[in-house]
Amino acid sequence: MKFKVPRGTQDILPSESWKWQRIEQMIHDVCDLYRYEEIRTPMFEQTELFQRTVGDTTDIVTKEMYTFTDRGDRSMTLRPEGTAPVVRSFVENKMFGWADQPVKLYYIEPMFRYERQQAGRYRQFVQFGTEAIGSADPAIDAEVIALALDVYKRAGLKDIKLVLNSLGDKESRMAHRNALVAHFKPAIDEFCADCQNRLEKNPLRILDCKVDRDHPLMKTAPSLTDYLNEESSAYFEKLKSLLTAAGIAYELDPNLVRGLDYYNHTAFEIMSTAEGFGAITTLCGGGRYNGLAEEIGGPPAPGIGFGMSIERLLLALEAESASLDNSDALDVYVVSLGDAAKDRAFEVLQQLRSAGVKSDMDYMDRKMKAQMKSADRLHAKWVAVIGEDEVEKNVVQLKNMAEGSQQSASVEEMIGFIQNERI
Ligand code: ATP
Ligand code: MG
């Protein structure tokens, strides 16, 4: 029997994993810069958490969740998104009582959605997300957006754009909702079964339908922007002016509604504009979720956040032919000739590593020529050759691969040379 990686998942091999490490490090650095701190929540939660928050008319809840009954007969779900678990933790750990508000958190964690596999769409993918909870200041919306853009910029992406919309507050959404029902109702028979179901339950979802996106009524649908009340408009205007002042360009898209129910006010996406990126151009999606903490039993705690998949970031880098800095070269490869030399090589290797020198040696009993080839393949900057003579004299023959020079050196001298070169 042959086993395969499950559909929609992937092994990340060393040829790719170094890129993940670079991106993850970049994310940690940018988050630190903005004073966001890492949170790690469990990989599964009670199913009801997602049903209540993400919304039971959304694609995620109706079709995409990995739900199972555990041995205690409880319904559990592999986390499909990061916001609900973080807000659950915020409430459970009474973070609303922490001295520094808003609480600014981030995570880099795998998410699970049972989706049709296609380029940029996986069943397990890693999301980097931030959540700023406890403030309803539009400046924090601007901060969160700036942070997301900074990560892309640092990674080297150029062809990206920010798309912005406001979903307004509850009152604005109700007014818009009624207009949507009136708009779609007469022709609802022409829409998919899901949309027919959404009409009464959550007509806004119709605008996010992937099946009926080309129906003529989609284009003429009442726009949320026209239904924003004064307060919601003022909030949106403030955010836009903050972004402009910070030199952040944006496009407005009144049909941007996002795939989760809990959003209000700010909704945004960052998209790739690179040619050949493929059908799915959204790199990052986020928005404001005032009311979510109350929904799961906490005190009022307005929040805003986003989620971006690392997989799509890497795809976008590829589409732009932008490359990450790959400083994977080895400092020293230790070549040994004979058993005694091999034992000595291992000793030397550990001394090098204690001194912070990245080094490796042969473990396959290969001839000198093959060992030299390995050193080449691993881009070793130095090669330390140890034979019988060197064992006796307690030295190595140290070759500088770039210069081609060679000299006899003790381990201490060798470490000195290498450290000097780094300065
Ligand atoms: P889409 O419209 O692409 O289905 P969504 O509305 O379901 O996106 P969110 O739930 O808001 O997206 O997720 C935020 C981000 O997570 C997306 O912008 C994308 O980067 C990433 N993402 C979502 N689903 C997947 C997936 N199946 N595979 C890889 N990344 C994903
Ligand atoms: Mg989706």
Side-chain angles (χ1 to χ4, degrees):
M1 180 158 177
K2 279 198 179 144
F3 293 104
K4 280 189 170 171
V5 75
R7 189 186 290 263
T9 69
Q10 57 179 343
D11 295 322
I12 297 165
L13 305 181
S15 59
E16 288 292 311
S17 58
W18 69 269
K19 297 182 192 167
W20 284 76
Q21 292 184 353
R22 293 284 181 287
I23 299 288
E24 283 161 8
Q25 193 53 54
M26 226 173 266
I27 290 170
H28 293 307
D29 292 345
V30 173
C31 285
D32 189 44
L33 205 59
Y34 282 75
R35 203 189 62 78
Y36 282 68
E37 296 174 300
E38 191 183 16
I39 181 168
R40 302 184 188 198
T41 64
M43 212 162 303
F44 56 89
E45 298 269 356
Q46 291 169 51
T47 302
E48 213 192 325
L49 175 69
F50 301 111
Q51 285 169 337
R52 287 187 69 137
T53 56
V54 175
D56 46 21
T57 55
T58 57
D59 278 357
I60 293 180
V61 170
T62 53
K63 319 178 189 160
E64 297 173 358
M65 293 206 302
Y66 279 91
T67 297
F68 60 96
T69 307
D70 75 5
R71 288 172 195 270
D73 224 21
R74 302 173 199 90
S75 181
M76 295 293 175
T77 293
L78 295 186
R79 172 181 63 202
E81 62 96 42
T83 303
V86 170
V87 176
R88 193 259 315 132
S89 179
F90 176 90
V91 171
E92 188 174 346
N93 293 291
K94 301 193 172 53
M95 293 185 208
F96 43 82
W98 288 5
D100 288 308
Q101 299 288 326
V103 174
K104 306 204 288 186
L105 303 167
Y106 76 98
Y107 54 83
I108 308 175
E109 291 187 315
M111 305 292 157
F112 305 86
R113 296 184 193 180
Y114 193 80
E115 302 206 63
R116 204 165 57 82
Q117 187 187 2
Q118 62 191 108
R121 209 180 273 294
Y122 305 89
R123 290 185 176 170
Q124 174 175 334
F125 57 99
V126 176
Q127 239 181 29
F128 156 49
T130 66
E131 315 292 348
I133 314 173
S135 165
D137 184 338
I140 199 91
D141 302 38
E143 173 177 282
V144 159
I145 290 171
L147 191 163
L149 288 168
D150 267 358
V151 167
Y152 290 129
K153 262 186 247 156
R154 257 198 210 205
L157 286 183
K158 294 197 173 68
D159 304 336
I160 51 173
K161 66 172 182 187
L162 168 65
V163 184
L164 204 59
N165 189 24
S166 171
L167 305 176
D169 60 8
K170 242 192 191 142
E171 189 187 87
S172 312
R173 288 178 68 156
M174 273 319 279
H176 179 238
R177 183 202 148 98
N178 296 339
L180 281 175
V181 173
H183 178 76
F184 285 113
K185 202 166 193 171
I188 196 65
D189 294 348
E190 297 162 25
F191 285 75
C192 72
D194 281 338
C195 281
Q196 296 183 12
N197 191 29
R198 288 165 183 145
L199 183 70
E200 296 300 336
K201 279 197 185 151
N202 191 351
L204 190 66
R205 287 265 72 77
I206 297 177
L207 299 181
D208 199 32
C209 181
K210 310 237 155 57
V211 180
D212 294 315
R213 66 168 65 166
D214 295 324
H215 193 287
L217 281 186
M218 288 293 205
K219 282 210 171 60
T220 54
S223 163
L224 236 166
T225 321
D226 299 330
Y227 290 83
L228 294 184
N229 58 18
E230 214 171 296
E231 215 187 312
S232 301
S233 284
Y235 193 95
F236 196 31
E237 289 311 313
K238 182 74 191 170
L239 170 62
K240 288 189 281 188
S241 72
L242 285 165
L243 290 174
T244 304
I248 296 173
Y250 56 83
E251 262 175 38
L252 296 176
D253 177 0
N255 284 333
L256 180 77
V257 299
R258 317 266 332 106
L260 303 89
D261 269 0
Y262 49 62
Y263 285 119
N264 45 54
H265 289 289
T266 312
F268 69 94
E269 288 191 353
I270 298 169
M271 320 188 87
S272 170
T273 54
E275 240 173 87
F277 183 60
I280 301 172
T281 54
T282 304
L283 299 177
C284 169
R288 183 158 271 287
Y289 46 81
N290 300 349
L292 184 59
E294 287 138 288
E295 184 70 34
I296 57 178
I304 174 141
F306 64 75
M308 66 168 74
S309 103
I310 310 287
E311 291 83 355
R312 287 193 197 174
L313 196 173
L314 290 170
L315 286 172
L317 280 173
E318 229 168 82
E320 287 192 27
S321 311
S323 50
L324 293 164
D325 169 35
N326 183 6
S327 50
D328 69 341
L330 206 56
D331 291 316
V332 183
Y333 192 86
V334 182
V335 167
S336 61
L337 306 158
D339 287 345
K342 192 175 169 197
D343 293 346
R344 174 76 185 131
F346 186 71
E347 256 179 74
V348 170
L349 201 58
Q350 288 308 96
Q351 279 175 278
L352 289 171
R353 289 166 177 169
S354 306
V357 174
K358 183 171 165 179
S359 45
D360 202 3
M361 65 178 261
D362 173 67
Y363 292 102
M364 305 298 287
D365 284 329
R366 283 176 303 184
K367 299 236 161 62
M368 172 145 176
K369 212 171 149 189
Q371 293 187 41
M372 290 304 291
K373 267 195 182 158
S374 279
D376 254 358
R377 246 194 329 270
L378 299 170
H379 308 297
K381 292 177 211 144
W382 305 79
V383 170
V385 182
I386 305 177
E388 268 172 43
D389 225 29
E390 284 73 27
V391 175
E392 221 157 88
K393 293 186 184 140
N394 218 350
V395 293
V396 303
Q397 289 301 323
L398 186 63
K399 273 190 186 181
N400 183 318
M401 299 305 273
E403 293 168 9
S405 58
Q406 183 171 334
Q407 62 191 304
S408 179
S410 71
V411 175
E412 290 72 25
E413 284 168 339
M414 165 163 64
I415 292 170
F417 289 145
I418 292 163
Q419 287 173 341
N420 263 342
E421 201 182 55
R422 280 203 196 139
I423 298 165

